[in-house]
Amino acid sequence: DGGGETPLITDPADDKLLGWAPDGKRILFASDRSGTWDAWAIEVIDGKRQSEARLLKPNMGQADPMGFTRDGTFFYSVRMLGANIYAATIDPQTGKVVAPPEIVIQRFVGTNRLPRWSPDGERLAFVSSGRVRPEDWTLCIFSPATGQQREFRMDDKLRMFHYRLGWSLDGRSIFQSNIDSQGRHGVFKMDVETGEVKRLVSSDPKEIYGIPQWS
């Protein structure tokens, strides 16, 4: 109504709004202030906080709100962290599974994602975050025939890996839409022999590029 803003939560922790309770007197939010993601509530009257935050449910996890029912029941989904890379053998004629899925990468299980076969089918590129910190992205090149794996640390080069990887047609480089260490969006490629990263396309600061493909 133009009356200004009133801060409700000023804790230095990470806090995320989950929603207003149906009675309009409480706000439910998630916070990691205790070391885990928990559900907290504060009372609000006339747009002002009336109480300190109260813990409602510990160890809630990475919750995404789905909403309240009229009686005040809160529904949410939980993102389960962790990913593995599996491979299965199928019959291309019938589509039936000949051999069940098995984990391909046995190192840092639960932290490997975005697999992509090279054009010749001899190497598997993927991203792993199973190092000291989750943000320490490592781009890996794995050879199933030899069991050898090359690793390129990306924490000082590229920041985010949300889209699938792409291979150049000659198999010499991998490319992806990403963000560099200065926070600039664009399309980048990495030499799979040297690990050198180059920018292919620079994007406008207001734009985020999706999944690039070679012709």
Side-chain angles (χ1 to χ4, degrees):
D1 62 358
E5 298 178 349
T6 301
L8 298 178
I9 303 171
T10 57
D11 193 277
D14 286 337
D15 302 300
K16 182 173 68 172
L17 178 67
L18 296 177
W20 281 94
D23 60 11
K25 298 179 180 179
R26 289 167 296 164
I27 282 183
L28 185 67
F29 67 97
S31 176
D32 65 352
R33 61 187 63 190
S34 66
T36 60
W37 281 101
D38 312 315
W40 298 74
I42 56 173
E43 294 183 7
V44 179
I45 298 178
D46 295 331
K48 296 182 179 180
R49 183 175 64 187
Q50 303 297 312
S51 67
E52 294 298 321
R54 179 167 58 94
L55 177 64
L56 293 184
K57 180 177 176 56
N59 296 315
M60 189 183 198
Q62 291 275 16
D64 291 314
M66 299 174 66
F68 287 90
T69 61
R70 293 178 180 177
D71 65 0
T73 302
F74 179 70
F75 283 83
Y76 64 95
S77 62
V78 177
R79 286 175 283 169
M80 304 301 292
L81 301 180
N84 291 307
I85 297 172
Y86 293 83
T89 302
I90 63 171
D91 185 331
Q93 300 299 323
T94 65
K96 294 183 178 180
V97 177
V98 177
E102 294 184 353
I103 295 180
V104 178
I105 308 300
Q106 298 292 338
R107 191 179 185 197
F108 297 110
V109 173
T111 66
N112 304 314
R113 63 199 70 201
L114 301 179
R116 187 79 173 191
W117 287 108
S118 60
D120 59 8
E122 298 294 328
R123 293 166 295 170
L124 181 67
F126 66 95
V127 174
S128 175
S129 59
R131 304 308 187 264
V132 178
R133 303 174 301 168
E135 62 268 27
D136 288 342
W137 298 103
T138 301
L139 200 152
C140 307
I141 309 295
F142 175 69
S143 173
T146 64
Q148 294 182 341
Q149 179 170 307
R150 301 188 65 188
E151 300 180 351
F152 303 92
R153 288 286 295 273
M154 292 287 108
D155 55 316
D156 61 341
K157 300 174 183 178
L158 300 178
R159 287 185 174 180
M160 303 177 69
F161 286 86
H162 293 310
Y163 302 107
R164 69 185 182 187
L165 304 174
W167 283 86
S168 61
L169 299 182
D170 59 11
R172 295 180 180 179
S173 58
I174 290 174
F175 58 94
Q176 198 205 34
S177 173
N178 211 306
I179 302 174
D180 64 15
S181 57
Q182 282 74 46
R184 298 171 298 183
H185 292 268
V187 177
F188 302 82
K189 77 169 183 177
M190 189 201 77
D191 188 298
V192 297
E193 294 299 326
T194 66
E196 180 183 9
V197 174
K198 291 184 178 180
R199 179 189 296 269
L200 294 179
V201 180
S202 298
S203 67
D204 184 276
K206 297 180 181 180
E207 296 176 338
I208 298 177
Y209 289 179
I211 303 173
Q213 292 280 357
W214 287 111
S215 63

